[in-house]
Amino acid sequence: MLIATWNVNSVRTRLSQIINWINQVNPDILCLQETKVIDNDFPIKPFEELGYKVIAFGQKSYNGVAIISKIEAENVIKGFSGFLGDQNDVNKFEDQKRLITADIKGVKIINVYVPNGSSLNSEKFDYKINWLNCLSSFLDKQEKKSQLICLLGDFNIAPSNKDIHNPQRYEGGIMASEIERNALNNVLKGRLIDSFRIYEKNTGHWSWWDYRNNAYELNKGWRIDHIYISKALTSKLKSCVIDSNPRENLQPSDHAPVMINLDLDNPNEDYFDEEEDFFEI
DNA sequence: ATGGCAGAAGCATTCTGA
């Protein structure tokens, strides 16, 4: 099962590029960020014609997420949806459409567009950290429902200096600060694994290149789009790749898609054996 | 320290992103 994430920077502007990419790669699940469109205006038909269902959670001009899946999705949750109670700091996050969750083939897919945060001394930065703290609580609750979680999307955080083309220049700044990395690690809590780093330990791999300053041509990028999976899924993981090809399109998104291959159909795997043992005890 | 490039809204220019 191929699961992909892609910040497309407007689903309507990028529609033909997304359809072309789907035709080439044939993902089972495609999680989009920055769709920038209200749900009634989401172009669902081109996806349905290719055999996909669209679950959109968007707003005018900014943000917006969607899960596009060939496989039926259940238990869809849009935003934090009251799962954290009536705390004021939760309700204020419901204006910005940045989170959508669904169960697909036994895996809880959590698609996020983490706030950028602007700069460390801004109100938007506090919003980013508070949003991540809410996501951590949300995950605590979701984990009680499913031990098989795939948390993916645009995190707007480089997890380590290896994920920045020039760490000396950007260290400590937005998307690279210890505060953000700690907030991210508090979400992951060691229970979720960075799929990409299972296969690639070296620097020099990016998922986002600034539109400005000829950044893509100079390969000055960041790795800020991630696919995190539960430890119980790592034995099912077959690959994780960043596909930079769409970044070479005319009028591209500034982000490239990231994709994993999970082999959920092979029964001779560790996780299911562990499950049987667990129930026998 | 600042702007650079791009999209949306909407028609000149501002807001936002990363």
Side-chain angles (χ1 to χ4, degrees), chain A residues 92-217:
Chain A
K92 77 180 179 192
F93 294 127
E94 298 299 60
D95 293 341
Q96 301 186 15
K97 313 307 185 193
R98 297 179 174 276
L99 170 66
I100 187 167
T101 303
D103 295 346
I104 301 177
K105 209 166 180 174
V107 179
K108 194 168 285 292
I109 304 290
I110 305 178
N111 176 18
V112 298
Y113 174 45
V114 177
N116 165 261
S118 190
S119 65
L120 265 65
N121 55 6
S122 69
E123 284 183 11
K124 288 177 183 174
F125 186 78
D126 295 337
Y127 186 96
K128 180 179 194 173
I129 300 303
N130 290 331
W131 194 94
L132 285 165
N133 290 340
C134 275
L135 180 64
S136 178
S137 301
F138 181 79
L139 255 154
D140 291 341
K141 295 232 160 67
Q142 294 307 311
E143 203 173 34
K144 288 174 182 155
K145 301 190 174 88
S146 172
Q147 295 296 307
L148 303 183
I149 287 174
C150 178
L151 170 68
L152 74 172
D154 175 0
F155 287 77
N156 275 316
I157 298 172
S160 84
N161 285 350
K162 284 196 290 191
D163 303 307
I164 309 170
H165 67 89
N166 184 348
Q168 290 74 29
R169 176 175 172 181
Y170 296 104
E171 190 168 21
I174 192 69
M175 300 196 295
S177 71
E178 280 308 301
I179 299 171
E180 290 159 271
R181 287 173 180 171
N182 289 341
L184 174 58
N185 286 331
N186 186 45
V187 171
L188 306 177
K189 284 194 175 80
R191 62 194 164 188
L192 293 168
I193 309 297
D194 184 344
S195 297
F196 188 77
R197 285 298 177 212
I198 290 178
Y199 298 100
E200 180 59 64
K201 304 299 182 192
N202 295 320
T203 187
H205 301 273
W206 323 125
S207 68
W208 172 80
W209 299 258
D210 202 314
Y211 284 123
R212 296 165 291 190
N213 305 317
N214 224 17
Y216 183 74
E217 288 71 14

Side-chain angles (χ1 to χ4, degrees), chain A residues 73-85:
Chain A
E74 301 173 295
N75 301 324
V76 173
I77 307 169
K78 295 181 175 181
F80 292 111
S81 291
F83 269 80
L84 302 171

